[in-house]
Structure formats: structure tokens, C-alpha cells
């Protein structure tokens, strides 16, 4: 059996279905991975709804999911870094992670540290790499810079708070009131209630805004920038067109990086960096988990366990 969670058309939660598909044959540079766990991301529901058809044109039906952790079952002829039985994790750099068996380019995978189980590993690739890279997309982070992170309680936001603080930045975050203590514990210097407070009234001269929310939050962020500051968004592909004259906005997409992921995983395994899992769901709860990622959940990352 090779179950795959797919959409045959765009729409609400009901368009997600489980199909039986062929087991893929790995190419020369690929490995075949038996998926034990996968991370749930906001991109799942955005693609499902059809919001990103222009940015991510799909041939339907399409298997959802963009990151996984599992066991190597076969390796391509040119692969030398992995062997059958290795525990691996990584971002696909495309859709297709929500299947029992997935072929993925070997250079997108990192080994799972011995201290981690598969569900812990599946929470890392997209969130941690996105946070690390997005914080540096507009230029190097420097000690003393002021960084404003919108959506700081989520998977990406939680890593971003920690990485920015470790770089010596002054970290201001927006999150719900219920997540305030969690975000402070991650290292934020100040947390603003995104529902009850206006961040633009409490912060100014920001060197970098990391926008993980989009919408009105992005539109209100221009006014808090310092001269020479930038807004980097993972949520608004049209950010450049929305940037006022004289303001710098960048649309960011994560790039798979085996070395970076290996380094981050070692920090998490050592306890230097904290990875927060909001909830682990069984395979048959995945469609609902994708929908709930739209409406919100506890701080951290939702992971689906394929063995449940």
C-alpha cells in the first residue's frame, strides 16, 4: 500500500482525500523514503484552497505535504551519502510528502539525530530552515538590531525568535495573549497581543520585520521601519507591489539546505534550540489538521504520525 493525501480540485476541507498510488522509483540522485511522520504547514491549506495557483501551478490530482521524516528504503545509483535503513528528514522543495513512500533528492535530506524520534524530526525542516534563512534574506543580522516577528508562536516564528535573539538582536514579537509566556520563554524581549493591541503604536525604528501573517498585519508594518529597514514576508507573494515608495519588501521562499538542517538539528538535539510541537495527529486526522492550521492551534508545529 502507498497511501497518498491528495486533492483532485481546489476547495475546503472536503476536497482532501486518501488515494492509493504507485510506489515511486527513485532516480539516480534520489532516495526512496518510507515516511514515518510529516509536518503540517499553512501552505497546505493555502494550496488546497487555490490561493496560490499563480505562484504554485499544479497538475491535479496533487499530493500535499512539503516535509517528512522517515527511513531510507532504497537509494539511487549515484547516491553515496545514504544507505538503506538510515533515518532521515528534510524538505521536499515541492509538494508530495503526505504519502507512505516518497522519492526525494538525497541532497535535501539530513540524518535524524539519535536523540530524536521521527515526529520530533518532522517538525524541523521547513520551520527551522525558513526562520534561519528569512532572517538573513535582507542582509546579515547584527547585534543590537531591532527585529519584529509577526506570528511568533508558530513553528517558523518560534525558531525565528530564538535565532534572532542568539544573533544579538532585540526581538519584539506579535502573538495571541495565550501564547505570550511561551514566546517570552523562547527569548523575545517584548510580546504584543496581536488581537488587542496595535504594534505600530508600541514599536518604531525596526530594522527587520519578519512577516509570517500577511494581510493587514503586513500593510501596517511599513510605518514601523527604520530608514534602511526591510520587511521580509513568507505570507504575501505580492509584497513588492504592496511596498510604499521608499520602503523595501522581499518575498521569501525557503531553499532546502542539507548542511544548515544538520546544524540546526544538532542544536535542537543538544537542547540549545527549542522545537515546540503543538500536537501530533494520526494519519486519518490529517485532513482535519490541515483545516485547523488555517483557524489556529497551540504554539508550535503540528505533526502527523503515519504509524498511527
Amino acid at each position: 500500500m502507498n497511501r497518498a493525501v491528495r486533492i483532485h480540485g481546489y476547495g475546503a476541507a472536503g476536497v482532501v482525500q486518501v488515494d492509493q498510488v504507485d510506489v515511486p522509483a527513485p532516480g539516480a540522485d534520489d532516495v526512496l523514503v518510507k515516511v514515518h511522520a510529516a509536518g503540517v504547514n499553512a501552505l497546505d491549506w493555502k494550496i488546497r484552497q487555490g490561493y496560490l495557483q499563480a505562484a504554485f501551478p499544479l497538475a491535479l490530482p496533487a499530493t500535499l505535504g512539503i516535509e517528512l521524516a522517515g527511513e531510507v528504503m532504497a537509494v539511487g545509483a549515484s547516491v553515496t551519502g545514504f544507505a538503506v535503513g538510515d533515518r532521515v528528514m528534510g524538505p521536499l522543495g515541492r509538494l508530495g510528502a503526505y504519502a507512505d513512500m516518497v522519492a526525494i533528492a538525497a541532497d535535501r535530506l539530513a540524518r535524524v539525530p539519535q536523540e530524536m524520534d521521527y515526529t520530533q524530526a518532522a517538525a524541523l525542516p521547513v520551520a527551522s530552515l525558513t526562520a534561519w534563512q528569512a532572517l538573513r534574506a535582507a542582509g546579515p543580522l547584527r547585534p543590537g538590531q531591532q527585529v519584529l516577528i509577526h506570528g511568533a508562536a508558530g513553528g517558523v516564528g518560534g525558531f525565528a525568535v530564538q535565532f534572532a535573539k542568539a544573533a544579538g538582536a532585540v526581538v519584539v514579537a506579535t502573538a495571541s495573549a495565550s501564547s505570550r509566556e511561551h514566546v517570552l520563554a523562547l527569548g523575545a524581549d517584548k510580546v504584543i497581543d496581536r488581537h488587542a493591541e496595535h504594534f505600530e503604536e508600541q514599536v518604531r525604528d525596526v530594522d527587520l520585520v519578519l512577516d509570517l501573517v500577511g494581510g493587514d498585519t503586513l500593510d501596517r508594518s511599513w510605518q514601523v521601519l527604520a530608514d534602511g529597514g526591510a520587511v521580509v514576508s513568507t505570507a504575501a507573494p505580492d509584497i513588492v507591489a504592496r511596498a510604499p515608495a521608499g520602503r523595501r519588501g522581499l518575498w521569501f521562499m525557503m531553499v532546502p539546505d542539507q548542511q544548515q538542517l544538520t546544524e540546526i538539528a544538532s542544536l535542537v538535539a543538544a537542547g540549545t534550540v527549542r522545537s515546540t510541537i503543538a500536537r501530533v495527529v494520526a494519519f486519518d486526522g490529517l485532513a482535519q489538521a490541515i483545516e485547523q492550521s488555517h483557524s489556529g492551534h497551540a504554539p508550535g508545529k503540528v505533526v502527523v504520525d503515519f504509524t498511527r
Side-chain angles (χ1 to χ4, degrees):
M1 290 177 58
N2 188 26
R3 301 167 299 176
V5 175
R6 303 202 296 178
I7 57 171
H8 291 251
Y10 298 109
V15 303
V16 178
Q17 64 185 64
V18 178
D19 296 333
Q20 294 293 332
V21 300
D22 293 335
V23 174
D29 298 316
D30 299 338
V31 299
L32 181 67
V33 177
K34 180 180 181 180
V35 179
H36 286 255
V40 178
N41 293 276
L43 190 65
D44 296 326
W45 69 261
K46 292 177 182 179
I47 287 176
R48 185 204 68 193
Q49 292 287 138
Y51 292 155
L52 300 177
Q53 293 182 58
F56 299 99
L58 297 179
L60 298 175
T63 302
L64 298 176
I66 57 175
E67 63 184 330
L68 56 77
E71 179 184 355
V72 175
M73 303 302 289
V75 299
S78 300
V79 175
T80 58
F82 296 103
V84 173
D86 284 347
R87 301 195 316 141
V88 295
M89 60 183 172
L92 267 66
R94 57 174 174 81
L95 293 178
Y98 294 155
D100 286 311
M101 304 289 283
V102 175
I104 178 174
D107 62 4
R108 295 178 179 175
L109 292 171
R111 296 181 185 277
V112 176
Q114 288 185 345
E115 299 88 345
M116 285 186 188
D117 62 28
Y118 285 118
T119 56
Q120 293 169 325
L124 295 184
V126 169
S128 66
L129 287 175
T130 298
W132 182 270
Q133 295 173 11
L135 285 169
R136 294 161 175 81
L141 278 178
R142 297 186 301 275
Q145 284 185 314
Q146 185 171 204
V147 176
L148 172 61
I149 300 171
H150 293 309
V156 177
F159 282 114
V161 169
Q162 295 176 83
F163 293 156
K165 190 63 178 178
V170 176
V171 181
V172 181
T174 63
S176 63
S178 61
S179 299
R180 182 177 185 275
E181 294 305 318
H182 170 76
V183 177
L184 287 172
L186 294 177
D189 296 285
K190 181 177 183 177
V191 179
I192 299 170
D193 183 348
R194 67 185 184 92
H195 296 296
E197 300 176 278
H198 297 284
F199 65 85
E200 64 271 31
E201 297 175 355
Q202 299 191 41
V203 63
R204 64 182 62 186
D205 297 325
V206 174
D207 298 292
L208 172 67
V209 176
L210 179 56
D211 168 45
L212 308 173
V213 177
D216 178 66
T217 298
L218 169 60
D219 294 333
R220 291 154 49 210
S221 293
W222 306 108
Q223 60 191 287
V224 307
L225 284 181
D227 292 338
V231 179
V232 174
S233 180
T234 67
D238 60 344
I239 183 174
V240 174
R242 291 165 65 175
R247 293 300 191 184
R248 184 184 180 201
L250 294 88
W251 162 241
F252 174 79
M253 293 178 62
M254 182 271 293
V255 177
D257 189 307
Q258 184 181 71
Q259 181 177 349
Q260 280 182 355
L261 181 56
T262 299
E263 292 174 357
I264 293 169
S266 67
L267 293 174
V268 173
T272 305
V273 172
R274 178 178 170 185
S275 176
T276 303
I277 295 180
R279 189 160 54 98
V280 178
V281 301
F283 182 85
D284 61 6
L286 179 52
Q288 183 181 13
I290 292 172
E291 177 63 16
Q292 289 175 340
S293 74
H294 183 189
S295 57
H297 53 75
K301 189 72 177 273
V302 176
V303 174
V304 54
D305 183 347
F306 277 53
T307 68
R308 290 170 46 184

